[in-house]
């Protein structure tokens, strides 16, 4: 098995893995559950595409491409919270495909459609900390475009998602007593910004220098900074995490002052740190963290034992080819897939109108937009949902039922 546990999980991910583990006490049980759910979501989308009049060649082509896509192959066997989150966003896209078809045909959506949207939305909200705003912005904008459906969208999707989300959060706080995320971890984005501002030579007062030196030496702030990756700044043996947590408010005040003092440095930082999202080709000094090679060393005794060693060797070599500079833009950099979604959306807007185009592409677009202020590493897992949605929406380029061509 390839892949590994992420360092910090939302409690719901840890609990869901533990429950699945009780059925079959092996990490493979979680992997199998992920594969089944991913397959089901792709199946839901294939069924929705049939309702849109997409011929079997387009539907089966999408299924085959999804099955062969290296991103799906590697992520489905990785125990990261990003995987069920991406499956939830795929499910939301499938639900919107059915819902938009019903709205276009002036038909009453089936209860299974409403339940599917609410369930997928709840998974998105629970499995990542940025999931709740993704859901509220996505469904909220869809409701704005379909004024006659606003009340039903609120009562049948947003309201149950919010009630269930708050219930889970309350159980984490008062029943399971899950500890809060440390402030140094929650504030990695401002920490990254401050490192960028120090690296850019932003003037500091003596009081500010003393304060930053108490967190970690000023020279380390400067030396550890890289625009695309926050890890060297926060994950080292020098950062005084207890001091930072005790003075987080003061740090945020300093962060705001430094941005006002040198806004140009922040612009340069963001142009570099976000190019993973919008640039197709890979810059010479950049990289993409796509997947783990094999099973990392661990305390659980997990190891890889291939049933067909020669086949595994051939597959690893093939994966290695996809990571080469001349091919990585096609397989692992997410910008191409984002632009495919935007192109598909432009075609859908021409054929069916803006309402349909945004309903189908909104989840991926909003998910990406929310990453622009938050991105601290060029990890493929962050844009894995966009990868999957782009492949699944490709058949919509085929003129289907009711298309204005």
């Amino acid at each position: 098995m390839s892949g590994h546990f992420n360092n910090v999980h939302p409690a719901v991910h840890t609990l869901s893995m533990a429950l699945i583990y009780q059925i079959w006490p092996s990490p493979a049980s979680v992997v199998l559950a992920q594969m089944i759910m991913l397959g089901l979501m792709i199946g839901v989308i294939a069924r929705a595409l049939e309702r849109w009049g997409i011929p079997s060649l387009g539907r089966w082509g999408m299924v085959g491409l999804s099955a062969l896509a290296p991103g799906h192959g590697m992520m489905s066997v990785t125990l990261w919270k990003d995987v069920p989150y991406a499956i939830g966003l795929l499910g939301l896209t499938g639900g919107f495909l059915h819902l938009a078809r019903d709205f276009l045909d002036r038909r009453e959506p089936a209860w299974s459609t409403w339940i599917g949207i609410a369930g997928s939305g709840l998974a998105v909200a629970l499995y990542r900390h940025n999931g709740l705003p993704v859901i509220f912005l996505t469904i909220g904008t869809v409701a704005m475009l379909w004024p006659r459906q606003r009340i039903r969208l609120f009562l049948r999707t947003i309201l149950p998602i919010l009630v269930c989300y708050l219930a889970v959060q309350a159980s984490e706080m008062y029943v399971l007593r899950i500890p809060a995320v440390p402030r140094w971890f929650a504030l990695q984005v401002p920490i990254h910004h401050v490192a960028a501002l120090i690296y850019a030579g932003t003037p500091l007062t003596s009081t500010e220098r003393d304060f930053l030196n108490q967190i970690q030496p000023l020279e380390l702030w400067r030396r550890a900074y890289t625009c695309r990756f926050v890890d060297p700044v926060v994950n080292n043996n020098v950062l005084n995490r207890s001091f930072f947590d005790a003075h987080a408010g003061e740090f945020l005040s300093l962060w705001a002052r430094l941005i006002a003092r040198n806004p140009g440095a922040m612009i340069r930082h963001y142009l570099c740190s976000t190019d993973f999202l919008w640039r197709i080709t890979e810059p010479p000094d950049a990289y993409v963290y796509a997947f783990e090679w094999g099973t990392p060393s661990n305390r659980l005794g997990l190891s890889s034992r291939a049933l067909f060693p020669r086949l595994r060797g051939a597959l690893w070599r093939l994966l290695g080819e996809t990571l080469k500079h001349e091919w990585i833009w096609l397989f692992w950099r997410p910008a191409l897939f984002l632009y495919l979604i935007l192109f598909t959306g432009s075609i859908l807007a021409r054929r069916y109108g803006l309402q349909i185009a945004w309903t189908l592409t909104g989840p991926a677009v909003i998910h990406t937009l929310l990453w622009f202020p938050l991105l601290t590493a060029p990890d493929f897992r962050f844009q894995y949902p966009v990868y999957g949605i782009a492949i699944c929406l490709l058949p919509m380029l085929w003129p289907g039922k009711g298309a204005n061509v």
Side-chain angles (χ1 to χ4, degrees), residues 250-308:
E250 298 172 50
F251 181 84
L252 289 175
S253 297
L254 172 61
W255 168 56
R257 291 197 305 272
L258 294 182
I259 290 176
R261 204 174 294 168
N262 192 356
M266 285 306 304
I267 294 173
R268 291 191 295 273
H269 168 77
Y270 268 115
L271 287 174
C272 178
S273 65
T274 63
D275 66 7
F276 169 74
L277 300 174
W278 53 264
R279 179 168 172 167
I280 294 178
T281 57
E282 186 176 61
D285 60 339
Y287 73 101
V288 173
Y289 176 51
F291 55 84
E292 286 287 327
W293 289 90
T295 303
S297 58
N298 58 83
R299 294 175 294 177
L300 303 176
L302 299 178
S303 60
S304 298
R305 291 192 298 272
L307 294 177
F308 307 99

Side-chain angles (χ1 to χ4, degrees), residues 122 126 132 160-173:
L122 182 62
L126 289 174
L132 192 62
I161 289 171
L162 183 59
V163 169
C164 294
Y165 179 86
L166 292 175
V168 172
Q169 291 294 96
S171 67
E172 289 182 8
M173 292 175 60

Side-chain angles (χ1 to χ4, degrees), residues 99 112 297 312:
L99 194 69
S112 58
S297 58
R312 181 180 69 170

Side-chain angles (χ1 to χ4, degrees), residues 14 123 192-193 356:
T14 306
H192 201 195
H193 292 172
I356 296 296

Side-chain angles (χ1 to χ4, degrees), residues 5-284:
F5 289 93
N6 199 6
N7 292 329
V8 179
H9 293 286
V12 68
H13 189 217
T14 306
L15 289 173
S16 58
M17 287 198 302
L19 290 173
I20 296 171
Y21 192 83
Q22 295 303 313
I23 300 172
W24 176 21
S26 167
S29 62
V30 182
V31 168
L32 184 61
Q34 290 180 167
M35 288 180 170
I36 291 172
M37 289 305 299
L38 179 61
L40 284 174
M41 293 306 102
I42 293 174
V44 166
I45 291 174
R47 173 67 183 92
L49 293 174
E50 183 179 15
R51 293 187 60 201
W52 282 88
I54 306 302
S56 57
L57 178 62
R59 302 195 307 273
W60 282 107
M62 179 275 291
V63 172
L65 188 59
S66 297
L68 295 174
H72 282 317
M74 296 308 298
M75 294 300 289
S76 64
V77 297
T78 299
L79 306 185
W80 268 332
K81 61 184 180 289
D82 309 86
V83 178
Y85 171 87
I87 293 172
L89 215 54
L90 267 178
L92 189 68
T93 302
F96 279 167
L97 272 164
H98 282 283
L99 194 69
R101 186 71 254 178
D102 289 327
F103 287 170
L104 197 63
D105 294 342
R106 301 183 185 276
R107 293 177 51 183
E108 176 65 25
W111 272 103
S112 58
T113 298
W114 293 114
I115 293 171
I117 291 173
S120 298
L122 182 62
V124 171
L126 289 174
Y127 276 105
R128 281 203 62 88
H129 300 300
N130 60 324
L132 192 62
V134 168
I135 288 303
F136 273 89
L137 288 172
T138 298
I139 299 180
T141 54
V142 169
M144 292 296 293
L145 290 171
W146 300 91
R148 295 183 179 180
Q149 309 295 337
R150 284 176 191 169
I151 300 300
R152 288 199 297 172
L153 279 164
F154 175 77
L155 293 177
R156 298 182 183 182
T157 59
I158 292 180
L159 184 60
I161 289 171
L162 183 59
V163 169
C164 294
Y165 179 86
L166 292 175
V168 172
Q169 291 294 96
S171 67
E172 289 182 8
M173 292 175 60
Y174 300 110
V175 180
L176 300 176
R177 299 189 182 278
I178 303 296
V181 175
R183 291 184 175 183
W184 70 267
F185 188 87
L187 297 176
Q188 288 187 59
V189 172
I191 291 174
H192 201 195
H193 292 172
V194 169
L197 291 160
I198 293 172
Y199 180 83
T202 306
L204 300 169
T205 66
S206 58
T207 302
E208 291 167 347
R209 288 176 177 272
D210 292 341
F211 177 74
L212 290 168
N213 273 316
Q214 290 184 76
I215 298 174
Q216 62 184 350
L218 204 59
E219 179 55 35
L220 182 58
W221 281 100
R222 187 178 295 107
R223 187 176 68 249
Y225 169 73
T226 173
C227 67
R228 296 184 178 89
F229 195 37
V230 72
D231 205 56
V233 180
V234 295
N235 286 324
N236 56 60
N237 297 324
V238 180
L239 183 72
N240 191 337
R241 295 173 178 176
S242 59
F243 177 85
F244 182 95
D245 289 351
H247 298 84
E250 298 172 50
F251 181 84
L252 289 175
S253 297
L254 172 61
W255 168 56
R257 291 197 305 272
L258 294 182
I259 290 176
R261 204 174 294 168
N262 192 356
M266 285 306 304
I267 294 173
R268 291 191 295 273
H269 168 77
Y270 268 115
L271 287 174
C272 178
S273 65
T274 63
D275 66 7
F276 169 74
L277 300 174
W278 53 264
R279 179 168 172 167
I280 294 178
T281 57
E282 186 176 61

Side-chain angles (χ1 to χ4, degrees), residues 74 291 293 308-322:
M74 296 308 298
F291 55 84
W293 289 90
F308 307 99
R310 290 185 179 179
L311 178 60
R312 181 180 69 170
L315 290 174
W316 277 124
R317 287 191 295 273
L318 182 61
L319 280 170
E321 290 295 317
T322 67

